[in-house]
Amino acid sequence: MAEDGSPVRSTSLPREAASVPVARQLVRETLVDWGLPDVTDAAELVVSELASNAVRHARHGAFRLTIRRLAGGNVRVAVTDKSRTLPLLATASTADVTGRGLALVDAVSRQWGTDSLPWGKRVWADVEPADDSVLADDPAPAVVAHRVWSASAAQITYVLMVVAMAAWLGVVIATGQR
């Protein structure tokens, strides 16, 4: 529990590529436990990007993942690492292979930001339910049809998106278009 009494889940993960799917799974399991299926897909995408950036750019052997339940069914996902270099929201060109992660975070989150720390930084993003009239805290929530993807379906969709982007990029490079 956080100081204000809100639920929090936090863990350290090794700074290696295999930690990214572990972070996604931890987010999914936590949000299912908290009864927040409406924010799960966005939170998984956010943690994928933030954890991937920590794996790529941090200079310590681990990073910290924190998931915090906020008011109104909102969730804050944060990744803390020991690099002091702050991330930049950049516009990637069609020739760039990387550089779109924070644009995705910006697109699916209500807000995101960074907190400079004496020994590193925390990058966080707040995600909210698609329909904030339906909250998990409501004792008798309305029945609303929401697609809740299983972890494997979400991972397959994510992989298909990455493969499609890579294929598109390969065509752009092969044809020499700019």
Side-chain angles (χ1 to χ4, degrees):
M1 292 295 208
E3 292 173 5
D4 65 359
S6 60
V8 174
R9 185 160 186 197
S10 187
T11 190
S12 292
L13 296 168
R15 190 180 65 86
E16 55 190 44
S19 293
V20 176
V22 172
R24 275 196 311 267
Q25 184 66 29
L26 184 64
V27 165
R28 173 165 289 284
E29 289 172 358
T30 300
L31 297 181
V32 167
D33 288 347
W34 290 349
L36 298 172
D38 293 350
V39 296
T40 303
D41 290 331
E44 277 190 280
L45 178 60
V46 165
V47 79
S48 289
E49 299 306 330
L50 299 184
S52 293
N53 284 348
V55 167
R56 258 187 236 109
H57 302 296
R59 297 294 176 244
H60 189 265
F63 64 92
R64 186 144 198 88
L65 166 64
T66 305
I67 310 149
R68 182 174 179 180
R69 185 174 180 161
L70 305 173
N74 296 333
V75 172
R76 175 166 287 181
V77 176
V79 170
T80 305
D81 63 52
K82 291 194 175 183
S83 169
R84 291 187 184 156
T85 304
L86 299 178
L88 296 173
L89 179 60
T91 304
S93 74
T94 55
D96 292 333
V97 177
T98 62
R100 292 172 181 80
L102 286 177
L104 289 171
V105 170
D106 188 58
V108 302
S109 65
R110 183 171 51 85
Q111 64 181 356
W112 70 276
T114 59
D115 299 325
S116 293
L117 304 169
W119 43 263
K121 68 175 172 304
R122 178 184 310 111
V123 184
W124 55 267
D126 294 345
V127 294
E128 60 188 351
D131 179 9
D132 47 3
S133 66
V134 179
L135 302 177
D137 291 338
D138 188 351
V143 177
V144 178
H146 291 284
R147 176 159 187 171
V148 178
W149 294 18
S150 68
S152 60
Q155 289 173 351
I156 289 168
T157 302
Y158 182 79
V159 168
L160 289 175
M161 289 183 343
V162 170
V163 169
M165 287 177 54
W168 170 78
L169 184 59
V171 169
V172 168
I173 291 171
T175 61
Q177 295 178 0
R178 288 196 179 234

